[in-house]
Amino acid sequence: MLRFLAARAGRAVLTLFLCVSGVFLALRLAGDPADIMLSIDAPPDVRAYYRELWGLDRPLIEQYGLYLASAVRGDFGVSFADNRPAFDAVVEALPKTALLGLSALLLALLVGLPLGVVAAVKHNSAIDRIAMASAVFGYAIPIFFLGILLILLFALKLRVLPSAGSDTPLHLLLPMVTLGLPLAGRLARFARTSTLEVLGKPFIRAARGRGVRPFGLIVHHALPNAAVPLLMFLGIEIGGILAGGAVTETIFAWPGLGRLLVDAVATRDLPVVQACILTITLIMVSANLLTDVLHILIDPRLGGFRSAQGASA
């Protein structure tokens, strides 16, 4: 297990390095940030002053080396927009993103998991078809369209929920539903497939033959064995939550990491963009690593199998 975790940690570090390097080069090759941050009629000496202040007058390879050295120390520079540390802006926005993402994940688990299990138990019945039609509708509808639809209905038509901000718990409801319903649809279909696969195993037929009741068969036999692929699915979906969160936070003016990233990209605030990308990548890599550890704890055979694969590779 230690060899497996060490290999995964090495891959995580490599992923972070490649991601940060790619973002650094893409942003700087996209154009001079001074052209966006300063007015078009800014005098050349003012433009030169800010380019020197932001370190943009140095060769690209020197900027890259200085950035990597600073990132290792946890220093991501200062924002071009408000001259505060870039990582402070990320730390300020991260709790809001965590609240929205965890709420959406909880909603997806409460809706999607029971829906998928019931559809699997009632395979090929009317309940199965209705459940899967609802799941397809949930994950097929675009997030931006669902968000606008909810604003039109609950904020403008019925006037029962706020459409923007994060001041009260009511402000969380529309963004949570917008982000959580598509995830619930994907989870329902995956849970149905995983549960159906487990229900076809010989040990399930043996349990039925011993007279195990249907509820106990699902709870004590089917769901624990379907947990490994479900955990893998949820680990992968962390990235989807973060990506969808950027759209959702922009629609509802939710002051989270996704909205901060969108605003920073629009103004080409390089330090903030790089701090956001590194934070998002770190979250995704950590979630995947945690998922692998949980897989091993649930089924220790996975650790030996994957370690053997890594050694042979």
Side-chain angles (χ1 to χ4, degrees):
M1 181 173 179
L2 291 178
R3 290 172 56 192
F4 167 71
L5 293 178
R8 292 294 294 173
R11 294 177 188 176
V13 173
L14 179 60
T15 300
L16 288 172
F17 171 76
L18 293 177
C19 182
V20 172
S21 300
V23 170
F24 176 89
L25 294 175
L27 289 175
R28 277 156 178 79
L29 294 177
D32 191 346
D35 294 336
I36 293 180
M37 302 300 297
L38 301 176
S39 62
I40 192 173
D41 56 349
D45 56 338
V46 173
R47 190 178 299 272
Y49 168 77
Y50 279 102
R51 293 190 80 253
E52 182 180 358
L53 178 65
W54 295 334
L56 301 174
D57 60 330
R58 300 177 179 180
L60 188 62
I61 188 65
E62 185 179 349
Q63 294 183 44
Y64 178 65
L66 291 173
Y67 173 71
L68 285 183
S70 299
V72 171
R73 299 193 305 267
D75 179 11
F76 297 94
V78 296
S79 170
F80 292 168
D82 54 15
N83 205 35
R84 65 168 172 165
F87 196 65
D88 287 358
V90 172
V91 171
E92 182 180 321
L94 193 56
K96 291 293 185 180
T97 294
L99 175 62
L100 177 59
L102 292 175
S103 300
L105 182 59
L106 179 61
L107 175 65
L109 289 172
L110 292 177
V111 175
L113 186 58
L115 193 65
V117 173
V118 169
V121 173
K122 302 294 183 180
H123 182 50
N124 286 334
S125 67
I127 295 177
D128 181 19
R129 289 190 287 271
I130 293 173
M132 287 301 98
S134 302
V136 169
F137 175 78
Y139 78 78
I141 186 170
I143 287 181
F144 71 90
F145 180 77
L146 178 59
I148 294 173
L149 188 65
L150 292 176
I151 290 175
L152 291 174
L153 178 60
F154 292 100
L156 299 180
K157 182 71 174 179
L158 300 178
R159 297 182 181 274
V160 294
L161 291 174
S163 62
S166 62
D167 298 332
T168 68
L170 290 178
H171 286 85
L172 177 63
L173 292 180
L174 292 184
M176 177 184 68
V177 173
T178 301
L179 189 58
L181 279 186
L183 178 58
R186 294 191 295 272
L187 178 59
R189 288 182 60 85
F190 196 87
R192 175 182 180 271
T193 301
S194 299
T195 306
L196 277 175
E197 182 178 355
V198 173
L199 289 177
K201 298 293 185 180
F203 71 88
I204 294 293
R205 293 193 294 269
R208 285 198 182 102
R210 295 195 304 270
V212 178
R213 295 182 178 181
F215 181 80
L217 191 70
I218 297 299
V219 173
H220 300 295
H221 295 275
L223 287 182
N225 286 276
V228 171
L230 285 175
L231 278 175
M232 181 179 295
F233 171 82
L234 292 176
I236 295 173
E237 282 297 321
I238 296 297
I241 292 175
L242 292 173
V247 178
T248 304
E249 290 174 5
T250 302
I251 292 173
F252 293 97
W254 184 266
L257 189 60
R259 186 186 177 198
L260 176 65
L261 176 59
V262 171
D263 293 343
V265 170
T267 58
R268 206 165 293 173
D269 193 346
L270 301 187
V272 175
V273 172
Q274 291 165 162
C276 288
I277 293 294
L278 180 60
T279 302
I280 291 172
T281 305
L282 184 61
I283 292 173
M284 294 177 62
V285 168
S286 300
N288 289 328
L289 182 60
L290 178 60
T291 301
D292 287 330
V293 173
L294 291 176
H295 284 179
I296 295 177
L297 293 178
I298 293 174
D299 189 352
R301 294 173 299 175
L302 293 175
F305 173 69
R306 293 183 179 177
S307 296
Q309 279 189 326
S312 62

